[in-house]
Amino acid sequence: MKLMLKAVTIASAIIATPALAEHWTLSPEGSHLAYGTIKKDTVGEVNSFTNLSGHVSPDGKAEIEIDLSSVETNIDIRNERMIEHVFRNAGTATLTAQIDMDEVKALAVGQTAVVDVEAALSLIGTDVEFDTEMFVLRVSEKSVMVSTNDMVFLSTEDAGVNAGVDKLMELASLPGITRTVPITARLFFNMDEQKADAGTAAPVEVAAVAAVDGDIKAGKKVYRKCKACHQIKEGKNGVGPSLYGIVGASAAQADGFKYSDALKSSGIVWDVETLTTFLADPKGTLPGNKMQFAGLKKDEDITNVIAYLQSESEG
Ligand code: HEC
């Protein structure tokens, strides 16, 4: 007698699974950081930095590295003087900022917002803190543009570069260079999917789980191979984690089980397809996971054991 379990479908179930934590990486292309100087009261000039890098972590902490040696003043000798006297060959400056990611995430593609940002610039051992507004545009699902909403003014004294500016005046025989510097920035960030991990829990919509059309009774026999390490009771872990409710769940969710990093950071949702691939070759599909099991060779066995796991979890 064959007991057929047909079409066990979790259609578009909303299951509490970890949200894909979003990491954003600064894209140098299109990003631009510039500041202005005014000498002799009347001559305004724009300098910029051509080499920027950085990222924003899921909690909204932004860190942007400014390569000070990439300063572009449009005159070589002036670039050298800036690097040597003002930036004192410091290498990089770091701009850190706290961004409210909920506000950014709430933006639909094409929408904009003005967000408050608390930032700090760390330049040659001096930290300058400032609050400012940034203008955010969600360019696409996976990219945002952030720019200064107004100008940000930085005093050369606060930034600890007054002596360097004195030196520039002397070298260029200039009567004056203003001691407050307007700064504008336009930064592009791209969402980095590889780094998405099981960070903060939030409900996400899981795609429909394909129908399981397997033989539960036959699956119970196949399950004997799993029994040495697994139970299907909720909260009962052995060598392996409890497999209760595994079909449709996100990987590495069993309470109290110490998973490998490989499984934890896999981002896998266990549906028929991912379980089938995994159970056929656990080591090969997910290198670094710690399930010491060679795999099931027959497709039929896999389908059946999935049907069994599904039926047992239904209580
Ligand atoms: C020798 C012990 C062992 C055997 C046998 C074994 N497993 Fe595992 N299994 C583990 C361990 C350990 C893990 C955790 C892996 C990790 O953290 O990398 C695991 C993880 C899993 C996961 C992922 C669970 C999760 O919470 O994401 C599934 C699914 C799974 N096993 C199914 C099976 C099935 C089905 C069988 C039998 C066909 C089986 N295992 C046989 C030890 C075993």
Side-chain angles (χ1 to χ4, degrees):
M1 264 295 284
K2 269 192 172 184
L3 259 176
M4 295 291 289
L5 177 78
K6 280 188 87 176
V8 176
T9 313
I10 307 171
S12 270
I14 309 275
I15 301 172
T17 53
L20 292 187
E22 296 172 356
H23 291 255
W24 299 82
T25 303
L26 186 139
S27 154
E29 214 155 296
S31 293
H32 190 70
L33 180 66
Y35 63 90
T37 66
I38 299 168
K39 61 187 181 192
K40 294 188 279 187
D41 281 344
T42 52
V43 185
E45 282 171 328
V46 177
N47 297 349
S48 61
F49 294 98
T50 55
N51 191 6
L52 305 172
S53 59
H55 60 266
V56 183
S57 55
D59 58 359
K61 219 170 164 284
E63 221 176 275
I64 292 153
E65 305 255 295
I66 304 158
D67 178 358
L68 296 172
S69 70
S70 76
V71 68
E72 184 52 81
T73 67
N74 298 316
I75 298 175
D76 286 351
I77 180 72
R78 206 157 57 184
N79 292 353
E80 283 161 29
R81 284 175 179 169
M82 285 295 295
I83 293 165
E84 183 181 347
H85 301 295
V86 180
F87 303 137
R88 305 202 290 276
N89 299 311
T92 53
T94 310
L95 182 70
T96 49
Q98 185 59 49
I99 298 166
D100 185 342
M101 288 311 281
D102 290 340
E103 266 182 87
V104 175
K105 277 187 212 162
L107 293 178
V109 172
Q111 270 188 328
T112 65
V114 173
V115 302
D116 290 322
V117 172
E118 285 170 40
L121 177 72
S122 174
L123 183 73
I124 332 171
T126 310
D127 287 336
V128 194
E129 289 180 13
F130 55 96
D131 290 341
T132 185
E133 284 180 343
M134 298 296 277
F135 174 83
V136 183
L137 162 66
R138 183 118 196 189
V139 180
S140 71
E141 275 305 318
K142 301 208 165 112
S143 67
V144 291
M145 186 207 73
V146 180
S147 73
T148 38
N149 196 38
D150 301 301
M151 261 167 274
V152 174
F153 282 97
L154 189 69
S155 115
T156 56
E157 186 176 354
D158 291 351
V161 297
N162 246 348
V165 177
D166 287 343
K167 185 76 187 173
L168 286 187
M169 279 171 57
E170 184 193 317
L171 289 170
S173 311
L174 285 169
I177 301 177
T178 47
R179 299 303 166 120
T180 185
V181 174
I183 300 174
T184 59
R186 177 184 68 230
L187 307 169
F188 279 85
F189 291 93
N190 292 326
M191 200 196 290
D192 196 348
E193 282 178 303
Q194 285 82 46
K195 281 188 189 157
D197 59 28
T200 42
V204 294
E205 195 160 341
V206 175
V209 175
V212 184
D213 198 348
D215 182 332
I216 297 170
K217 222 173 169 185
K220 189 173 180 177
K221 277 191 197 145
V222 180
Y223 182 71
R224 286 183 196 152
K225 297 185 178 167
C226 322
K227 256 181 147 169
C229 305
H230 291 287
Q231 295 192 42
I232 315 179
K233 281 212 189 75
E234 195 167 11
K236 292 271 186 215
N237 299 320
V239 175
S242 162
L243 294 181
Y244 181 82
I246 197 73
V247 185
S250 290
Q253 296 302 298
D255 267 348
F257 187 78
K258 228 177 154 312
Y259 288 97
S260 65
D261 289 339
L263 195 59
K264 264 191 292 191
S265 62
S266 68
I268 293 176
V269 173
W270 292 122
D271 56 16
V272 173
E273 204 177 311
T274 51
L275 278 170
T276 302
T277 317
F278 176 69
L279 293 176
D281 182 14
K283 280 269 127 56
T285 18
L286 198 66
N289 91 79
K290 56 177 192 181
M291 170 154 136
Q292 300 294 331
F293 182 68
L296 296 171
K297 297 299 156 235
K298 288 192 218 152
D299 286 353
E300 209 190 327
D301 284 355
I302 296 177
T303 316
N304 294 343
V305 83
I306 295 171
Y308 176 70
L309 290 171
Q310 170 85 59
S311 72
E312 283 299 291
S313 297
E314 281 169 352

